[in-house]
PDB file of all heavy atoms in Angstrom:
ATOM      1  N   PRO A  56      89.428 110.100 102.695  1.00 79.00           N
ATOM      2  CA  PRO A  56      88.272 110.519 103.534  1.00 79.00           C
ATOM      3  C   PRO A  56      88.664 111.602 104.520  1.00 79.00           C
ATOM      4  O   PRO A  56      89.901 111.687 104.903  1.00 79.00           O
ATOM      5  CB  PRO A  56      87.821 109.265 104.243  1.00 79.00           C
ATOM      6  CG  PRO A  56      89.029 108.453 104.268  1.00 79.00           C
ATOM      7  CD  PRO A  56      89.757 108.772 102.982  1.00 79.00           C
ATOM      8  N   ARG A  57      87.807 112.517 104.888  1.00 82.00           N
ATOM      9  CA  ARG A  57      88.106 113.454 105.923  1.00 82.00           C
ATOM     10  C   ARG A  57      88.407 112.762 107.272  1.00 82.00           C
ATOM     11  O   ARG A  57      89.359 113.120 108.024  1.00 82.00           O
ATOM     12  CB  ARG A  57      86.948 114.470 106.168  1.00 82.00           C
ATOM     13  CG  ARG A  57      86.839 115.416 104.901  1.00 82.00           C
ATOM     14  CD  ARG A  57      85.899 116.476 105.193  1.00 82.00           C
ATOM     15  NE  ARG A  57      85.769 117.258 103.999  1.00 82.00           N
ATOM     16  CZ  ARG A  57      84.559 117.826 103.669  1.00 82.00           C
ATOM     17  NH1 ARG A  57      83.480 117.839 104.427  1.00 82.00           N
ATOM     18  NH2 ARG A  57      84.613 118.524 102.566  1.00 82.00           N
ATOM     19  N   THR A  58      87.631 111.832 107.549  1.00 84.00           N
ATOM     20  CA  THR A  58      87.830 111.013 108.801  1.00 84.00           C
ATOM     21  C   THR A  58      87.923 109.536 108.350  1.00 84.00           C
ATOM     22  O   THR A  58      86.977 108.911 108.078  1.00 84.00           O
ATOM     23  CB  THR A  58      86.601 111.168 109.674  1.00 84.00           C
ATOM     24  OG1 THR A  58      85.407 110.809 109.084  1.00 84.00           O
ATOM     25  CG2 THR A  58      86.553 112.535 110.393  1.00 84.00           C
ATOM     26  N   PRO A  59      89.197 109.014 108.554  1.00 81.00           N
ATOM     27  CA  PRO A  59      89.387 107.630 108.071  1.00 81.00           C
ATOM     28  C   PRO A  59      88.611 106.642 108.881  1.00 81.00           C
ATOM     29  O   PRO A  59      88.234 105.545 108.471  1.00 81.00           O
ATOM     30  CB  PRO A  59      90.891 107.435 108.179  1.00 81.00           C
ATOM     31  CG  PRO A  59      91.431 108.769 108.224  1.00 81.00           C
ATOM     32  CD  PRO A  59      90.470 109.713 108.776  1.00 81.00           C
ATOM     33  N   ALA A  60      88.341 106.947 110.120  1.00 86.00           N
ATOM     34  CA  ALA A  60      87.657 106.137 111.011  1.00 86.00           C
ATOM     35  C   ALA A  60      86.134 105.838 110.625  1.00 86.00           C
ATOM     36  O   ALA A  60      85.640 104.887 110.841  1.00 86.00           O
ATOM     37  CB  ALA A  60      87.706 106.535 112.402  1.00 86.00           C
ATOM     38  N   LEU A  61      85.617 106.896 109.961  1.00 87.00           N
ATOM     39  CA  LEU A  61      84.262 106.771 109.564  1.00 87.00           C
ATOM     40  C   LEU A  61      83.998 105.658 108.530  1.00 87.00           C
ATOM     41  O   LEU A  61      83.001 104.927 108.646  1.00 87.00           O
ATOM     42  CB  LEU A  61      83.783 108.087 108.960  1.00 87.00           C
ATOM     43  CG  LEU A  61      82.254 108.197 108.592  1.00 87.00           C
ATOM     44  CD1 LEU A  61      81.411 107.843 109.770  1.00 87.00           C
ATOM     45  CD2 LEU A  61      81.896 109.430 107.912  1.00 87.00           C
ATOM     46  N   SER A  62      84.779 105.562 107.545  1.00 85.00           N
ATOM     47  CA  SER A  62      84.686 104.468 106.552  1.00 85.00           C
ATOM     48  C   SER A  62      84.851 103.144 107.246  1.00 85.00           C
ATOM     49  O   SER A  62      84.179 102.152 106.879  1.00 85.00           O
ATOM     50  CB  SER A  62      85.584 104.630 105.332  1.00 85.00           C
ATOM     51  OG  SER A  62      87.003 104.764 105.823  1.00 85.00           O
ATOM     52  N   ALA A  63      85.803 102.985 108.063  1.00 86.00           N
ATOM     53  CA  ALA A  63      85.944 101.722 108.915  1.00 86.00           C
ATOM     54  C   ALA A  63      84.811 101.425 109.726  1.00 86.00           C
ATOM     55  O   ALA A  63      84.357 100.273 109.828  1.00 86.00           O
ATOM     56  CB  ALA A  63      87.204 101.708 109.668  1.00 86.00           C
ATOM     57  N   VAL A  64      84.234 102.393 110.393  1.00 90.00           N
ATOM     58  CA  VAL A  64      83.078 102.211 111.296  1.00 90.00           C
ATOM     59  C   VAL A  64      81.814 101.828 110.471  1.00 90.00           C
ATOM     60  O   VAL A  64      81.032 100.775 110.857  1.00 90.00           O
ATOM     61  CB  VAL A  64      82.773 103.437 112.131  1.00 90.00           C
ATOM     62  CG1 VAL A  64      81.449 103.407 112.829  1.00 90.00           C
ATOM     63  CG2 VAL A  64      83.918 103.599 113.203  1.00 90.00           C
ATOM     64  N   VAL A  65      81.635 102.354 109.376  1.00 88.00           N
ATOM     65  CA  VAL A  65      80.506 102.048 108.467  1.00 88.00           C
ATOM     66  C   VAL A  65      80.666 100.557 108.043  1.00 88.00           C
ATOM     67  O   VAL A  65      79.659  99.809 108.096  1.00 88.00           O
ATOM     68  CB  VAL A  65      80.390 103.059 107.338  1.00 88.00           C
ATOM     69  CG1 VAL A  65      79.443 102.493 106.228  1.00 88.00           C
ATOM     70  CG2 VAL A  65      79.904 104.374 107.739  1.00 88.00           C
ATOM     71  N   TYR A  66      81.810 100.302 107.657  1.00 85.00           N
ATOM     72  CA  TYR A  66      82.092  98.884 107.220  1.00 85.00           C
ATOM     73  C   TYR A  66      81.872  97.818 108.385  1.00 85.00           C
ATOM     74  O   TYR A  66      81.205  96.818 108.200  1.00 85.00           O
ATOM     75  CB  TYR A  66      83.482  98.615 106.619  1.00 85.00           C
ATOM     76  CG  TYR A  66      83.922  97.227 106.519  1.00 85.00           C
ATOM     77  CD1 TYR A  66      83.570  96.518 105.378  1.00 85.00           C
ATOM     78  CD2 TYR A  66      84.643  96.581 107.455  1.00 85.00           C
ATOM     79  CE1 TYR A  66      83.902  95.126 105.326  1.00 85.00           C
ATOM     80  CE2 TYR A  66      85.077  95.308 107.374  1.00 85.00           C
ATOM     81  CZ  TYR A  66      84.677  94.565 106.280  1.00 85.00           C
ATOM     82  OH  TYR A  66      84.979  93.231 106.083  1.00 85.00           O
ATOM     83  N   LEU A  67      82.326  98.284 109.517  1.00 87.00           N
ATOM     84  CA  LEU A  67      82.327  97.409 110.679  1.00 87.00           C
ATOM     85  C   LEU A  67      80.858  97.208 111.095  1.00 87.00           C
ATOM     86  O   LEU A  67      80.476  95.992 111.440  1.00 87.00           O
ATOM     87  CB  LEU A  67      83.140  98.089 111.818  1.00 87.00           C
ATOM     88  CG  LEU A  67      83.372  97.185 113.030  1.00 87.00           C
ATOM     89  CD1 LEU A  67      84.207  96.020 112.585  1.00 87.00           C
ATOM     90  CD2 LEU A  67      84.141  97.949 114.068  1.00 87.00           C
ATOM     91  N   LEU A  68      80.037  98.197 110.999  1.00 89.00           N
ATOM     92  CA  LEU A  68      78.554  98.090 111.450  1.00 89.00           C
ATOM     93  C   LEU A  68      77.874  97.182 110.422  1.00 89.00           C
ATOM     94  O   LEU A  68      77.147  96.260 110.827  1.00 89.00           O
ATOM     95  CB  LEU A  68      77.969  99.473 111.488  1.00 89.00           C
ATOM     96  CG  LEU A  68      78.378 100.274 112.707  1.00 89.00           C
ATOM     97  CD1 LEU A  68      77.656 101.674 112.702  1.00 89.00           C
ATOM     98  CD2 LEU A  68      77.969  99.615 114.061  1.00 89.00           C
TER      99      LEU A  68
END
Side-chain angles (χ1 to χ4, degrees):
R57 289 186 184 151
T58 55
L61 182 62
S62 55
V64 167
V65 168
Y66 167 80
L67 195 61
L68 289 176

